[in-house]
Structures are given as structure tokens and as C-alpha cells.
Amino acid sequence: MPYFWTALLLLAKRMIKHTFLCISILIFSHELRAQKVIARQGHVAFFSYTSVENIKAENNQVLGIVDLQHGDIAVSMLMNAFIFEKALMREHFNESYVESDIFPKATFEGTIQDFDVNQQEDQTRIVKGNFSMHGVTKELEIKARIEHINENYIISGTFEAVVKDYEIKIPPLLAGNIAKTVSVNFRFECLPYED
């Protein structure tokens, strides 16, 4: 009989340990999900100013995800999703400049420096990472504003992209129409990530 009680006690301890482990895994996985936010329709726009012609394009098909615990950020955008004022500009952009059939996406992977997930006030932080476009990857440091509203985050900012850094060839005839440096604006309204 004592063996029976010992076996029952061991079984009860294992069940308690197993139950505790299962609950811990569920809580931990929920916390991991809650620590990521995603923008499924982020906004990126660029502007090229010259005395000959201004070129502006906008893209609302940009995916961005942020790991709030570590401050890691990843962005992916389809190059052929940029909308221009003129259809001919869009055609030249996709076929001749960024060659979106060969290089369909631009990506950014980086880290928000000194990000404080617990801070309720707006934060201005430097985001360091690698921006890849047209088959070329460059390190960037971007100043970003981070707004924390309830469980949502809005990340916005501006940076300059030098056209020749990304091996984009501009025909000499059109060199006066396209700026050497293009201003890029972004805004991501990030919501809690759910599987």
C-alpha cells in the first residue's frame, strides 16, 4: 500500500509540473505575440526635385514588422506598387531605373537604437540597418519618430537616398529630369501582431 501512495504522489507532482509548464508556455507565447507589431499597409513616398521636373510617387503596399522587446525592425515593399502622376513615369521607373521585374522588392532590416517599449511619450530614435534596393545593400542611419497610442505604434521619418549608390543608371539625356538625391518619407501604423 505505501508503494501505491508514493506512486500516486509522484504522478500528482508530474501532473502539476506538466500543467505549470503548459501554462508557462501559453503565457510566454502570448507575450511574444504581444511584443510584435505589424503594419500591413505601410506608406512610403519619394520625391525628386529638379528645375526641369518634379517626380513624386507613393506606395501603400509596404509591410513592416517590429519586435518591441529587441527594437528590431524589418520592412519589405514591392517596387512596382509605386503610383506616379503620369503612367509614363511609372513605366520608366519600373522598366529602366529600378528594373522591378529583376529586383521586385526593396527591404530594410535594422534596429531602433535605445528604444524603450515602456515609454508612453513619443520617442525620437535612430534606426540603424541595411537598406537593399536594385540588388545593392547600403547601411543607413535614419531618424524616426515613434508614437505609442494604446497598443499601437506609429513610426515615421525621412531619409535621403543617393540614386547612384544603388547603381541606378540615368540616361544622359534625362539626367536633368531626375535629382541625384531623392527624399524618402515613410509612415507605418503598427498594430499588435496576431498569427
Side-chain angles (χ1 to χ4, degrees), residues 19-146:
T19 303
F20 179 74
L21 182 63
C22 288
I23 291 170
S24 298
I25 289 170
L26 285 172
I27 290 170
F28 183 68
S29 65
H30 175 72
E31 285 177 7
L32 281 180
R33 251 186 273 124
Q35 292 176 347
K36 289 185 181 171
V37 291
I38 188 167
R40 297 184 195 279
Q41 292 182 314
H43 177 80
V44 173
F46 71 81
F47 184 73
S48 164
Y49 169 81
T50 66
S51 57
V52 178
E53 183 175 38
N54 293 335
I55 300 170
K56 182 179 180 183
E58 298 187 9
N59 187 338
N60 290 312
Q61 295 185 32
V62 184
L63 179 68
I65 189 162
V66 181
D67 179 335
L68 299 173
Q69 184 179 11
H70 301 103
D72 295 332
I73 183 168
V75 176
S76 178
M77 68 178 164
L78 292 172
M79 297 307 286
N80 66 5
F82 277 99
I83 306 297
F84 293 78
E85 287 179 1
K86 301 175 186 172
L88 189 59
M89 286 180 177
R90 184 176 188 175
E91 184 180 319
H92 287 166
F93 176 78
N94 285 299
E95 292 179 10
S96 303
Y97 303 137
V98 298
E99 301 174 284
S100 59
D101 56 332
I102 302 168
F103 307 104
K105 291 182 181 180
T107 60
F108 178 82
E109 292 182 23
T111 305
I112 305 168
Q113 305 297 301
D114 303 317
F115 176 65
D116 183 357
V117 70
N118 297 312
Q119 185 171 322
Q120 295 300 311
E121 299 82 29
D122 294 356
Q123 302 178 56
T124 300
R125 296 289 182 257
I126 297 296
V127 182
K128 290 185 180 179
N130 293 316
F131 178 60
S132 298
M133 179 177 68
H134 196 243
V136 178
T137 301
K138 293 283 181 186
E139 285 185 23
L140 288 183
E141 286 190 15
I142 304 166
K143 185 189 275 189
R145 180 178 182 209
I146 304 163

Side-chain angles (χ1 to χ4, degrees), residues 151-183:
E151 293 182 10
N152 305 337
Y153 287 83
I154 298 173
I155 303 170
S156 58
T158 302
F159 67 95
E160 302 292 317
V162 179
V163 174
K164 72 175 184 178
D165 283 353
Y166 298 94
E167 298 177 9
I168 296 171
K169 295 177 176 73
I170 312 256
L173 185 64
L174 297 174
N177 294 38
I178 298 169
K180 293 181 169 81
T181 302
V182 176
S183 177

